[in-house]
mmCIF file of all heavy atoms in Angstrom:
data_model
loop_
_atom_site.group_PDB
_atom_site.id
_atom_site.type_symbol
_atom_site.label_atom_id
_atom_site.label_comp_id
_atom_site.label_asym_id
_atom_site.label_seq_id
_atom_site.Cartn_x
_atom_site.Cartn_y
_atom_site.Cartn_z
ATOM 1 N N GLY A 151 -16.024 3.833 11.778
ATOM 2 C CA GLY A 151 -16.634 2.496 11.766
ATOM 3 C C GLY A 151 -15.829 1.505 12.593
ATOM 4 O O GLY A 151 -16.392 0.656 13.294
ATOM 5 N N MET A 152 -14.513 1.634 12.528
ATOM 6 C CA MET A 152 -13.638 0.743 13.315
ATOM 7 C C MET A 152 -13.820 1.009 14.813
ATOM 8 O O MET A 152 -13.880 0.088 15.614
ATOM 9 C CB MET A 152 -12.178 0.969 12.917
ATOM 10 C CG MET A 152 -11.820 0.490 11.533
ATOM 11 S SD MET A 152 -10.077 0.851 11.139
ATOM 12 C CE MET A 152 -9.897 -0.112 9.608
ATOM 13 N N ILE A 153 -13.966 2.279 15.173
ATOM 14 C CA ILE A 153 -14.169 2.615 16.594
ATOM 15 C C ILE A 153 -15.475 1.987 17.080
ATOM 16 O O ILE A 153 -15.526 1.355 18.140
ATOM 17 C CB ILE A 153 -14.176 4.142 16.798
ATOM 18 C CG1 ILE A 153 -12.770 4.724 16.558
ATOM 19 C CG2 ILE A 153 -14.661 4.500 18.213
ATOM 20 C CD1 ILE A 153 -12.681 6.250 16.620
ATOM 21 N N LYS A 154 -16.543 2.141 16.250
ATOM 22 C CA LYS A 154 -17.852 1.555 16.643
ATOM 23 C C LYS A 154 -17.727 0.030 16.782
ATOM 24 O O LYS A 154 -18.291 -0.577 17.685
ATOM 25 C CB LYS A 154 -18.909 1.878 15.581
ATOM 26 C CG LYS A 154 -19.485 3.290 15.696
ATOM 27 C CD LYS A 154 -20.800 3.430 14.910
ATOM 28 C CE LYS A 154 -21.028 4.907 14.553
ATOM 29 N NZ LYS A 154 -20.664 5.166 13.119
ATOM 30 N N LYS A 155 -16.944 -0.572 15.890
ATOM 31 C CA LYS A 155 -16.837 -2.038 15.855
ATOM 32 C C LYS A 155 -15.928 -2.549 16.976
ATOM 33 O O LYS A 155 -15.929 -3.710 17.323
ATOM 34 C CB LYS A 155 -16.283 -2.461 14.480
ATOM 35 C CG LYS A 155 -16.893 -3.737 13.935
ATOM 36 C CD LYS A 155 -16.519 -3.988 12.474
ATOM 37 C CE LYS A 155 -17.189 -5.249 11.967
ATOM 38 N NZ LYS A 155 -16.871 -5.507 10.548
ATOM 39 N N GLY A 156 -15.082 -1.641 17.520
ATOM 40 C CA GLY A 156 -14.215 -2.055 18.626
ATOM 41 C C GLY A 156 -12.877 -2.602 18.199
ATOM 42 O O GLY A 156 -12.116 -3.114 19.023
ATOM 43 N N HIS A 157 -12.588 -2.539 16.879
ATOM 44 C CA HIS A 157 -11.255 -2.970 16.426
ATOM 45 C C HIS A 157 -11.028 -2.476 15.002
ATOM 46 O O HIS A 157 -11.995 -2.163 14.291
ATOM 47 C CB HIS A 157 -11.109 -4.489 16.451
ATOM 48 C CG HIS A 157 -12.016 -5.194 15.469
ATOM 49 N ND1 HIS A 157 -13.158 -5.867 15.866
ATOM 50 C CD2 HIS A 157 -11.995 -5.294 14.116
ATOM 51 C CE1 HIS A 157 -13.765 -6.358 14.799
ATOM 52 N NE2 HIS A 157 -13.082 -6.012 13.721
ATOM 53 N N GLY A 158 -9.783 -2.473 14.586
ATOM 54 C CA GLY A 158 -9.465 -2.113 13.191
ATOM 55 C C GLY A 158 -7.981 -2.252 12.917
ATOM 56 O O GLY A 158 -7.162 -2.189 13.842
ATOM 57 N N LYS A 159 -7.677 -2.478 11.641
ATOM 58 C CA LYS A 159 -6.285 -2.587 11.208
ATOM 59 C C LYS A 159 -6.092 -1.648 10.017
ATOM 60 O O LYS A 159 -6.848 -1.740 9.035
ATOM 61 C CB LYS A 159 -5.975 -4.020 10.745
ATOM 62 C CG LYS A 159 -6.084 -5.078 11.844
ATOM 63 C CD LYS A 159 -4.865 -5.107 12.720
ATOM 64 C CE LYS A 159 -4.945 -6.272 13.701
ATOM 65 N NZ LYS A 159 -3.794 -6.321 14.617
ATOM 66 N N ILE A 160 -5.135 -0.738 10.113
ATOM 67 C CA ILE A 160 -4.804 0.125 8.980
ATOM 68 C C ILE A 160 -3.359 -0.141 8.599
ATOM 69 O O ILE A 160 -2.472 -0.151 9.476
ATOM 70 C CB ILE A 160 -4.998 1.620 9.321
ATOM 71 C CG1 ILE A 160 -6.469 1.881 9.666
ATOM 72 C CG2 ILE A 160 -4.546 2.503 8.145
ATOM 73 C CD1 ILE A 160 -6.750 3.304 10.147
ATOM 74 N N ILE A 161 -3.131 -0.437 7.322
ATOM 75 C CA ILE A 161 -1.776 -0.719 6.837
ATOM 76 C C ILE A 161 -1.464 0.243 5.698
ATOM 77 O O ILE A 161 -2.170 0.273 4.671
ATOM 78 C CB ILE A 161 -1.678 -2.181 6.364
ATOM 79 C CG1 ILE A 161 -1.863 -3.125 7.565
ATOM 80 C CG2 ILE A 161 -0.330 -2.445 5.695
ATOM 81 C CD1 ILE A 161 -2.652 -4.354 7.265
ATOM 82 N N ASN A 162 -0.456 1.078 5.920
ATOM 83 C CA ASN A 162 -0.057 2.050 4.893
ATOM 84 C C ASN A 162 1.135 1.514 4.122
ATOM 85 O O ASN A 162 2.138 1.102 4.728
ATOM 86 C CB ASN A 162 0.290 3.384 5.560
ATOM 87 C CG ASN A 162 -0.947 4.037 6.174
ATOM 88 O OD1 ASN A 162 -2.032 3.988 5.592
ATOM 89 N ND2 ASN A 162 -0.790 4.654 7.341
ATOM 90 N N ILE A 163 1.061 1.552 2.797
ATOM 91 C CA ILE A 163 2.167 1.037 1.985
ATOM 92 C C ILE A 163 3.201 2.148 1.809
ATOM 93 O O ILE A 163 3.005 3.080 1.041
ATOM 94 C CB ILE A 163 1.684 0.490 0.629
ATOM 95 C CG1 ILE A 163 0.581 -0.545 0.838
ATOM 96 C CG2 ILE A 163 2.870 -0.125 -0.119
ATOM 97 C CD1 ILE A 163 0.983 -1.782 1.653
ATOM 98 N N CYS A 164 4.250 2.012 2.610
ATOM 99 C CA CYS A 164 5.332 2.998 2.605
ATOM 100 C C CYS A 164 6.358 2.620 1.533
ATOM 101 O O CYS A 164 5.950 2.196 0.446
ATOM 102 C CB CYS A 164 5.931 3.091 4.011
ATOM 103 S SG CYS A 164 4.751 3.681 5.253
ATOM 104 N N SER A 165 7.638 2.758 1.823
ATOM 105 C CA SER A 165 8.626 2.575 0.757
ATOM 106 C C SER A 165 10.047 2.661 1.305
ATOM 107 O O SER A 165 10.253 3.151 2.421
ATOM 108 C CB SER A 165 8.429 3.688 -0.285
ATOM 109 O OG SER A 165 9.562 3.832 -1.108
ATOM 110 N N MET A 166 11.024 2.233 0.510
ATOM 111 C CA MET A 166 12.428 2.519 0.860
ATOM 112 C C MET A 166 12.592 4.033 0.989
ATOM 113 O O MET A 166 13.389 4.526 1.786
ATOM 114 C CB MET A 166 13.373 2.034 -0.256
ATOM 115 C CG MET A 166 13.431 0.551 -0.438
ATOM 116 S SD MET A 166 14.254 -0.282 0.922
ATOM 117 C CE MET A 166 12.884 -0.709 1.964
ATOM 118 N N MET A 167 11.767 4.764 0.209
ATOM 119 C CA MET A 167 11.847 6.219 0.229
ATOM 120 C C MET A 167 11.182 6.810 1.457
ATOM 121 O O MET A 167 11.126 8.014 1.621
ATOM 122 C CB MET A 167 11.230 6.799 -1.059
ATOM 123 C CG MET A 167 12.195 6.858 -2.222
ATOM 124 S SD MET A 167 12.851 5.256 -2.667
ATOM 125 C CE MET A 167 14.538 5.681 -2.924
ATOM 126 N N SER A 168 10.687 5.964 2.350
ATOM 127 C CA SER A 168 10.286 6.482 3.664
ATOM 128 C C SER A 168 11.542 6.721 4.513
ATOM 129 O O SER A 168 11.476 7.423 5.525
ATOM 130 C CB SER A 168 9.373 5.479 4.383
ATOM 131 O OG SER A 168 8.162 5.290 3.677
ATOM 132 N N GLU A 169 12.665 6.123 4.076
ATOM 133 C CA GLU A 169 13.925 6.222 4.840
ATOM 134 C C GLU A 169 15.062 6.826 4.015
ATOM 135 O O GLU A 169 15.968 7.449 4.576
ATOM 136 C CB GLU A 169 14.384 4.821 5.302
ATOM 137 C CG GLU A 169 13.396 4.065 6.157
ATOM 138 C CD GLU A 169 13.183 4.694 7.533
ATOM 139 O OE1 GLU A 169 14.032 5.493 7.974
ATOM 140 O OE2 GLU A 169 12.144 4.403 8.159
ATOM 141 N N LEU A 170 15.012 6.630 2.707
ATOM 142 C CA LEU A 170 16.160 7.010 1.863
ATOM 143 C C LEU A 170 15.711 7.953 0.754
ATOM 144 O O LEU A 170 14.560 7.908 0.317
ATOM 145 C CB LEU A 170 16.762 5.755 1.201
ATOM 146 C CG LEU A 170 17.242 4.636 2.118
ATOM 147 C CD1 LEU A 170 17.552 3.392 1.273
ATOM 148 C CD2 LEU A 170 18.447 5.075 2.922
ATOM 149 N N GLY A 171 16.623 8.793 0.262
ATOM 150 C CA GLY A 171 16.321 9.606 -0.913
ATOM 151 C C GLY A 171 17.079 9.056 -2.108
ATOM 152 O O GLY A 171 17.940 8.185 -1.966
ATOM 153 N N ARG A 172 16.687 9.537 -3.292
ATOM 154 C CA ARG A 172 17.505 9.259 -4.469
ATOM 155 C C ARG A 172 17.147 10.287 -5.518
ATOM 156 O O ARG A 172 16.120 10.982 -5.418
ATOM 157 C CB ARG A 172 17.324 7.826 -4.964
ATOM 158 C CG ARG A 172 16.207 7.564 -5.965
ATOM 159 C CD ARG A 172 16.272 6.103 -6.465
ATOM 160 N NE ARG A 172 15.259 5.830 -7.489
ATOM 161 C CZ ARG A 172 15.445 6.038 -8.784
ATOM 162 N NH1 ARG A 172 16.572 6.549 -9.208
ATOM 163 N NH2 ARG A 172 14.483 5.755 -9.650
ATOM 164 N N GLU A 173 17.974 10.423 -6.513
ATOM 165 C CA GLU A 173 17.702 11.420 -7.560
ATOM 166 C C GLU A 173 16.323 11.164 -8.181
ATOM 167 O O GLU A 173 15.901 10.016 -8.313
ATOM 168 C CB GLU A 173 18.761 11.322 -8.685
ATOM 169 C CG GLU A 173 20.184 11.568 -8.243
ATOM 170 C CD GLU A 173 20.818 10.342 -7.579
ATOM 171 O OE1 GLU A 173 20.169 9.283 -7.491
ATOM 172 O OE2 GLU A 173 21.959 10.473 -7.096
ATOM 173 N N THR A 174 15.663 12.222 -8.509
ATOM 174 C CA THR A 174 14.414 12.300 -9.316
ATOM 175 C C THR A 174 13.135 11.918 -8.557
ATOM 176 O O THR A 174 12.057 11.975 -9.144
ATOM 177 C CB THR A 174 14.463 11.405 -10.599
ATOM 178 O OG1 THR A 174 14.271 10.027 -10.209
ATOM 179 C CG2 THR A 174 15.758 11.588 -11.361
ATOM 180 N N VAL A 175 13.225 11.532 -7.280
ATOM 181 C CA VAL A 175 11.985 11.115 -6.609
ATOM 182 C C VAL A 175 11.681 11.994 -5.388
ATOM 183 O O VAL A 175 11.141 11.518 -4.380
ATOM 184 C CB VAL A 175 12.021 9.611 -6.212
ATOM 185 C CG1 VAL A 175 12.067 8.721 -7.442
ATOM 186 C CG2 VAL A 175 13.199 9.304 -5.287
ATOM 187 N N SER A 176 11.941 13.309 -5.495
ATOM 188 C CA SER A 176 11.745 14.200 -4.334
ATOM 189 C C SER A 176 10.309 14.167 -3.814
ATOM 190 O O SER A 176 10.063 14.056 -2.613
ATOM 191 C CB SER A 176 12.119 15.636 -4.717
ATOM 192 O OG SER A 176 11.321 16.076 -5.809
ATOM 193 N N ALA A 177 9.338 14.245 -4.716
ATOM 194 C CA ALA A 177 7.930 14.278 -4.279
ATOM 195 C C ALA A 177 7.537 12.958 -3.622
ATOM 196 O O ALA A 177 6.901 12.915 -2.568
ATOM 197 C CB ALA A 177 7.017 14.557 -5.476
ATOM 198 N N TYR A 178 7.953 11.882 -4.256
ATOM 199 C CA TYR A 178 7.586 10.545 -3.768
ATOM 200 C C TYR A 178 8.223 10.292 -2.393
ATOM 201 O O TYR A 178 7.558 9.818 -1.471
ATOM 202 C CB TYR A 178 8.082 9.516 -4.776
ATOM 203 C CG TYR A 178 7.713 8.080 -4.518
ATOM 204 C CD1 TYR A 178 6.475 7.577 -4.885
ATOM 205 C CD2 TYR A 178 8.621 7.211 -3.927
ATOM 206 C CE1 TYR A 178 6.154 6.241 -4.682
ATOM 207 C CE2 TYR A 178 8.310 5.881 -3.705
ATOM 208 C CZ TYR A 178 7.072 5.401 -4.095
ATOM 209 O OH TYR A 178 6.755 4.068 -3.869
ATOM 210 N N ALA A 179 9.503 10.660 -2.244
ATOM 211 C CA ALA A 179 10.173 10.451 -0.945
ATOM 212 C C ALA A 179 9.525 11.322 0.137
ATOM 213 O O ALA A 179 9.312 10.868 1.266
ATOM 214 C CB ALA A 179 11.660 10.784 -1.077
ATOM 215 N N ALA A 180 9.175 12.561 -0.221
ATOM 216 C CA ALA A 180 8.513 13.432 0.765
ATOM 217 C C ALA A 180 7.177 12.823 1.188
ATOM 218 O O ALA A 180 6.820 12.806 2.370
ATOM 219 C CB ALA A 180 8.300 14.825 0.152
ATOM 220 N N ALA A 181 6.450 12.281 0.211
ATOM 221 C CA ALA A 181 5.137 11.680 0.517
ATOM 222 C C ALA A 181 5.291 10.429 1.382
ATOM 223 O O ALA A 181 4.613 10.254 2.388
ATOM 224 C CB ALA A 181 4.406 11.336 -0.789
ATOM 225 N N LYS A 182 6.208 9.563 1.006
ATOM 226 C CA LYS A 182 6.369 8.292 1.720
ATOM 227 C C LYS A 182 7.026 8.499 3.099
ATOM 228 O O LYS A 182 6.752 7.757 4.034
ATOM 229 C CB LYS A 182 7.193 7.308 0.881
ATOM 230 C CG LYS A 182 6.472 6.842 -0.396
ATOM 231 C CD LYS A 182 5.175 6.086 -0.117
ATOM 232 C CE LYS A 182 4.564 5.493 -1.369
ATOM 233 N NZ LYS A 182 3.324 4.777 -1.161
ATOM 234 N N GLY A 183 7.857 9.541 3.225
ATOM 235 C CA GLY A 183 8.370 9.880 4.554
ATOM 236 C C GLY A 183 7.244 10.392 5.432
ATOM 237 O O GLY A 183 7.111 10.019 6.598
ATOM 238 N N GLY A 184 6.372 11.197 4.844
ATOM 239 C CA GLY A 184 5.209 11.700 5.569
ATOM 240 C C GLY A 184 4.255 10.580 5.936
ATOM 241 O O GLY A 184 3.671 10.554 7.016
#
Side-chain angles (χ1 to χ4, degrees):
M152 290 178 169
I153 291 175
K154 280 197 204 102
K155 217 169 182 179
H157 65 255
K159 296 280 186 182
I160 298 175
I161 294 142
N162 293 321
I163 306 299
C164 297
S165 162
M166 293 290 94
M167 275 59 223
S168 296
E169 302 292 341
L170 302 169
R172 89 174 183 88
E173 299 80 2
T174 76
V175 295
S176 59
Y178 185 82
K182 293 298 187 181

